Amino acid sequence: MGRCRCGEPLALPFTVLEYVHGRSVLELLRQAGKGGGLPLACALTIVHEVAAALHYAHDKAGPDGRPLGLVHRDVSPSNVLVSYGGEVKLVDFGIAKATAHTRATKSGTIKGKLAYMAPEQVRGEAI
């Protein structure tokens, strides 16, 4: 940590991201495709954990208790990580939208991967 001219510590904001020692679901699917596919139990566990993560994000409230209305908008195999210990992590909320605190996205702008978008998002409706 640096110091300012008066000798006091200089605190700078920074972002910390969790390191997930593992692979993306995209990588797992590619590898599994070479050997007959992903076992059903693994696939169901991944889907269950991603659904739980989305539920948590959708129910998240701000300090005032009002729902934030978070919508991930890019849930795809490359944004789901599975650690070597079996933990499933939904990552890259970089294009998430807090519907309660923002106006509409710029018209004509697509956020996310088309193949994984909700139908209402593709149609330009509220998500």
Side-chain angles (χ1 to χ4, degrees):
M1 180 180 297
R3 299 207 174 261
C4 68
R5 290 183 183 178
C6 66
E8 291 293 316
L10 182 64
L12 300 173
F14 58 93
T15 301
V16 176
L17 301 175
E18 177 183 7
Y19 172 72
V20 179
H21 187 60
R23 298 169 69 186
S24 73
V25 168
L26 180 63
E27 293 170 304
L28 292 175
L29 290 172
R30 286 181 179 155
Q31 187 65 37
K34 298 175 186 176
L38 197 62
L40 181 60
C42 292
L44 291 174
T45 298
I46 291 167
V47 169
H48 177 270
E49 293 300 310
V50 169
L54 290 170
H55 177 73
Y56 177 83
H58 293 174
D59 281 358
K60 191 71 178 159
D64 60 0
R66 289 182 24 221
L68 293 176
L70 291 176
V71 179
H72 188 285
R73 302 200 300 176
D74 194 16
V75 179
S76 59
S78 60
N79 285 335
V80 178
L81 303 179
V82 180
S83 76
Y84 292 123
E87 295 176 302
V88 178
K89 306 283 185 166
L90 178 60
V91 300
D92 197 5
F93 275 78
I95 64 167
K97 181 178 181 182
T99 57
H101 297 275
T102 61
R103 304 225 185 263
T105 302
K106 183 178 175 183
S107 181
T109 303
I110 294 177
K111 300 285 186 180
K113 297 174 185 76
L114 189 61
Y116 298 99
M117 287 183 183
E120 60 272 19
Q121 184 179 359
V122 173
R123 291 190 299 263
E125 298 170 2
I127 55 174

